[in-house]
Amino acid sequence: MEYGIAEVARIAGTTSRTLRHYGEVGLLSPSRVGANGYRYYDERALRRLQQILLLRQLGLAVATIAEVIEGATDDTSALRAHLGWLRAERDRLDRQIASVERTITGIEEEGRVMAEEMFDGFDHTQYKEEVEARWGATAYADADRWWRGLGAQGQRGFMAEHSAIAEQWARLRAEGAPVDGPAARALARRHRAWIAAGWGGKPEGAVTAEALVGLADMYVADERFAANYGGTEGARYVRDALTSYAIEELA
């Protein structure tokens, strides 16, 4: 059974333009091209597309995705690897949910909460291999040393700052504030400062225009990031605002 490019885009939640791009770079070729130039995809192509989209959610570049997929012995082995990651991510989210629920209960019923309970499920060390693969061992070591040096109070303050930034992004989006307007521009600067702090307490200048745009793209591509901004649509607003700020003021 074959599907036209528009139908595949609808089913997969992507765009025909993206599918064409994947074809142009050799990542996902259509199973055939009709005499009218229309592209058609069979079930094998759909399985490959599923793998591509799953890896995109991890923030991997197209070239890296090609290497990962070609290195897999078969579709099943690649899917098993993806399934393992998804289960681990589900377990982490379950722990975070339970942690926040305990925090709410502690505040409402007792007026206090144990710091250890607040951070259950927020173990940054679980991303050690991923961070080192993307940005190098030094980047992880610097951030880890900075994070541990903050102490419980500093860690709470860092997380509270991000929560405040995320809430403000949601407010601006709800108000219809333009992504290149003064309010969004000011919040983008604040967001950049927060990112720099998370990179081991570095100055804002360490977050270059290229780095900021790359991170902004990850907010949309990776569901773990998008969830912080109310899902994909909210993440797109944040991405567009950060990208506009990076291009206009940092490039």
Side-chain angles (χ1 to χ4, degrees), residues 161-171 173 187 191 194-195 215-216 218-220 222-239 242:
E161 171 66 359
H162 180 259
S163 295
I165 291 172
E167 290 175 3
Q168 184 63 17
W169 280 127
R171 187 175 300 111
R173 177 171 173 257
L187 187 56
H191 196 139
W194 177 82
I195 292 172
L215 285 171
M218 285 177 59
Y219 289 169
V220 178
D222 192 327
E223 289 184 351
R224 294 172 297 177
F225 289 102
N228 293 318
Y229 304 105
T232 303
E233 291 304 315
R236 285 198 182 103
Y237 180 86
V238 176
R239 177 199 62 189
L242 291 177

Side-chain angles (χ1 to χ4, degrees), residues 26-172:
L27 189 59
L28 178 69
S29 299
S31 53
R32 73 179 178 90
V33 179
N36 54 7
Y38 288 178
R39 302 176 183 221
Y40 296 91
Y41 300 81
D42 59 15
E43 292 184 6
R44 182 175 180 79
L46 293 184
R47 289 197 299 271
R48 186 178 177 93
L49 177 60
Q50 182 189 44
Q51 295 173 28
I52 293 169
L53 296 179
L54 284 168
L55 291 170
R56 282 295 295 146
Q57 290 178 1
L58 293 176
L60 299 185
V62 170
T64 304
I65 291 174
E67 294 176 0
V68 171
I69 292 179
E70 296 304 327
T73 56
D74 52 50
D75 291 342
T76 303
S77 64
L79 288 173
R80 284 200 181 101
H82 299 325
L83 182 60
W85 175 84
L86 290 171
R87 284 173 172 164
E89 185 65 10
R90 178 191 62 191
D91 292 343
R92 184 186 68 82
L93 290 174
D94 285 342
R95 289 176 60 200
Q96 283 193 358
I97 291 171
S99 173
V100 174
E101 288 176 341
R102 286 196 298 271
T103 299
I104 293 173
T105 300
I107 293 174
E108 292 179 344
E109 296 183 0
E110 303 174 11
R112 62 183 181 84
V113 64
M114 296 299 292
E116 293 81 0
E117 295 180 349
M118 292 181 66
F119 292 99
D120 185 28
F122 294 94
D123 179 15
H124 70 288
T125 60
Q126 65 182 300
Y127 299 115
K128 181 176 186 293
E129 293 183 0
E130 183 176 347
V131 171
E132 289 182 343
R134 288 181 177 175
W135 298 295
T138 300
Y140 176 82
D142 289 345
D144 180 65
R145 188 182 307 109
W146 168 83
W147 176 255
R148 295 181 186 279
L150 287 178
Q153 184 174 355
Q155 291 169 0
R156 285 196 296 271
F158 179 77
M159 294 173 65
E161 171 66 359
H162 180 259
S163 295
I165 291 172
E167 290 175 3
Q168 184 63 17
W169 280 127
R171 187 175 300 111
L172 291 181

